[in-house]
Amino acid sequence: MALLGLVLMGFLPLFSHAYGHGGGWIDAHATFYGGGDASGTMGGACGYGNLYSQGYGTNTAALSTALFNNGLSCGACFEIKCVNDPRWCLPGSTVVTATKFCPPNNALSNNAGAGATPLSIILISLSLFSSKLPNTELGLFLKREGIRFTINGHSYFNLVLITNVGGAGDVQSVSIKGSRTGWQPMTRNWGQNWQSNTYLNGKSLSFKVTTSDGRTLVSNNVVPPNWSFGQTFTGLQFS
């Protein structure tokens, strides 16, 4: 598989045309990482932790600086296809979820491959890369379950990890509302961990989530007043 170390690929956010963002296929570089068991793809700068338990599996990608957008691209859906190499490319495309950051290697030139800062580079799991990207309709972002909100932190520091987001997948803004408060914007701490410094213990919680395609979804009272830190709750889902 060493011959598959770097291929030229095109990609675009899966729902960009559907939601009117425009754009189209652009050239990018791709390679693999993580080993045959995909263990090296777990964790990372988006905060998702175990990608199996979070429902993302191995159809995931690490993004270069040009694509990562300081973490706002976490959860984004990308369609990728292999081009310009009939020996290794198969027809069709595959969909992956952005779950990790590929840091730049400033010792390499701009055209030297993975990690070179200016390029659009996408790293995918070895198991997916080894398939030579067959035509697979994954439908990753037509989620069957709702958006998940995992509450970490402590009083006056509520850190909410947001996962399993359908539609465009990448969350751009979040607001939170307690049973006795109004809507309050949250700040993004890192990856898809969103922070509120309001004391919300003992209150039922609602969330308002907006993704990069401009759609907003409100999940009212998805967290009961007897919640505790470390718990995960499921809200509504983008159709």
Side-chain angles (χ1 to χ4, degrees):
M1 301 306 296
L3 295 176
L4 287 174
L6 190 68
V7 281
L8 184 65
M9 309 181 75
F11 67 96
L12 77 168
L14 180 61
F15 292 99
S16 62
H17 293 298
Y19 298 132
H21 290 292
W25 292 96
I26 63 174
D27 287 337
H29 293 273
T31 187
F32 61 82
Y33 78 117
D37 61 356
S39 59
T41 66
M42 301 295 128
C46 291
Y48 295 139
N50 188 311
L51 300 179
Y52 290 115
S53 61
Q54 294 288 8
Y56 294 110
T58 59
N59 289 90
T60 58
L63 304 181
S64 65
T65 304
L67 298 174
F68 192 64
N69 195 20
N70 292 320
L72 280 174
S73 294
C74 288
C77 184
F78 288 88
E79 183 178 6
I80 58 177
K81 65 180 179 180
C82 182
V83 297
N84 299 337
D85 194 338
R87 179 182 178 187
W88 296 109
C89 296
L90 294 179
S93 59
T94 292
V95 178
V96 294
T97 308
T99 60
K100 210 167 185 178
F101 174 53
C102 170
N105 184 345
N106 295 319
L108 299 177
S109 68
N110 291 347
N111 296 313
T117 304
L119 293 179
S120 296
I121 298 171
I122 189 164
L123 275 69
I124 57 179
S125 65
L126 177 59
S127 59
L128 178 61
F129 199 93
S130 300
S131 69
K132 295 185 288 187
L133 301 177
N135 186 9
T136 306
E137 298 297 334
L138 299 176
L140 286 178
F141 285 80
L142 298 177
K143 300 292 188 179
R144 295 181 179 179
E145 299 178 353
I147 298 173
R148 300 190 191 106
F149 304 92
T150 301
I151 306 176
N152 297 304
H154 52 78
S155 301
Y156 297 103
F157 180 71
N158 307 284
L159 193 65
V160 181
L161 173 63
I162 300 179
T163 58
N164 200 53
V165 181
D170 48 341
V171 177
Q172 302 297 293
S173 66
V174 181
S175 294
I176 190 171
K177 181 170 74 72
S179 52
R180 295 185 294 276
T181 71
W183 285 107
Q184 301 175 0
M186 304 184 75
T187 58
R188 193 174 62 86
N189 189 291
W190 65 282
Q192 284 298 349
N193 286 279
W194 294 79
Q195 174 184 336
S196 168
N197 295 330
T198 302
Y199 184 82
L200 296 170
N201 295 30
K203 299 178 177 64
S204 60
L205 304 179
S206 304
F207 294 95
K208 183 187 300 183
V209 175
T210 301
T211 49
S212 63
D213 54 16
R215 294 200 297 167
T216 298
L217 185 65
V218 177
S219 296
N220 285 310
N221 300 315
V222 295
V223 179
N226 62 341
W227 62 269
S228 60
F229 293 102
Q231 289 184 302
T232 300
F233 303 90
T234 303
L236 300 179
Q237 184 59 273
F238 289 100
S239 59

